[in-house]
Structure formats: C-alpha cells, structure tokens
Amino acid sequence: MTALDPAIHAPLRLQLCAALSAVDEAEFVTLRDRLGVADSVLSKHVSTLVEVGYVRTTKAAVDGRRTTWIALTKDGRRALGRHLRALQELIDAAQPG
C-alpha cells in the first residue's frame, strides 16, 4: 500500500495542493479567500510545503502593491499524485466485496 504523505495530509495543505494543481501559480490572497483562512494560517501551511520542496513562492509588485505568488513544484505535483493514489487505495480497501 502506498504511504500517505504527512506534509500533504493535513486537510488544509491537501486543499492547498489540490487548488494549486489546477493552475501554474496563484496569488496568496486568492488562495486565502478560496480556502477561507487567515493570512497567518495560510502562511504557516505554505511554509511547511516550501520546507519540503513541494511549493515555491515568488514575490512581485502588482499595481504598486507587493504580492506573493505560490506554485506547486514538480516534486510537489508528484507528491500530490502519490498521496491521492494512497487515498484511493484506502477508499478501495474500505469498499465491500
């Protein structure tokens, strides 16, 4: 059985990775609003994923204000795929018959 990835498994980090998997990158504020969390909460989870190399951040100025862009790395996309396969294996094992 494929192992769950503890860096991704926390519900908010899983939601964050799933949201990022659909785009090349996303603005911090957009992710914060989509996930419905405070800046500090999202920042903590992003930092965890940066530490393991699953996401990267880029800071830039947009319309005169500083913003942070977040993207899944190639390693992050592979890790998310493995994690989703592990979850599917759990679901399949729980199905009767």
Side-chain angles (χ1 to χ4, degrees):
M1 185 171 269
T2 307
L4 295 172
D5 188 323
I8 294 176
H9 192 64
L12 186 64
R13 287 195 298 269
L14 180 57
Q15 291 174 351
L16 174 58
C17 288
L20 289 171
S21 72
V23 296
D24 290 333
E25 62 183 1
E27 192 175 5
F28 183 93
V29 172
T30 301
L31 290 168
R32 179 202 63 202
D33 294 348
R34 179 173 179 181
L35 298 172
V37 297
D39 287 0
S40 60
V41 172
L42 180 57
S43 182
K44 180 180 176 184
H45 287 288
V46 167
S47 293
T48 298
L49 293 169
V50 166
E51 287 175 16
V52 296
Y54 291 172
V55 301
R56 65 172 167 74
T57 61
T58 306
K59 297 192 184 287
V62 175
D63 295 330
R65 66 179 174 83
R66 198 160 162 88
T67 189
T68 301
W69 293 88
I70 303 164
L72 274 178
T73 63
K74 287 181 184 179
D75 287 344
R77 288 185 186 278
R78 284 191 291 267
L80 177 60
R82 285 189 305 270
H83 189 78
L84 293 175
R85 283 189 298 279
L87 288 172
Q88 188 62 55
E89 288 175 14
L90 286 173
I91 291 166
D92 292 345
Q95 300 298 317

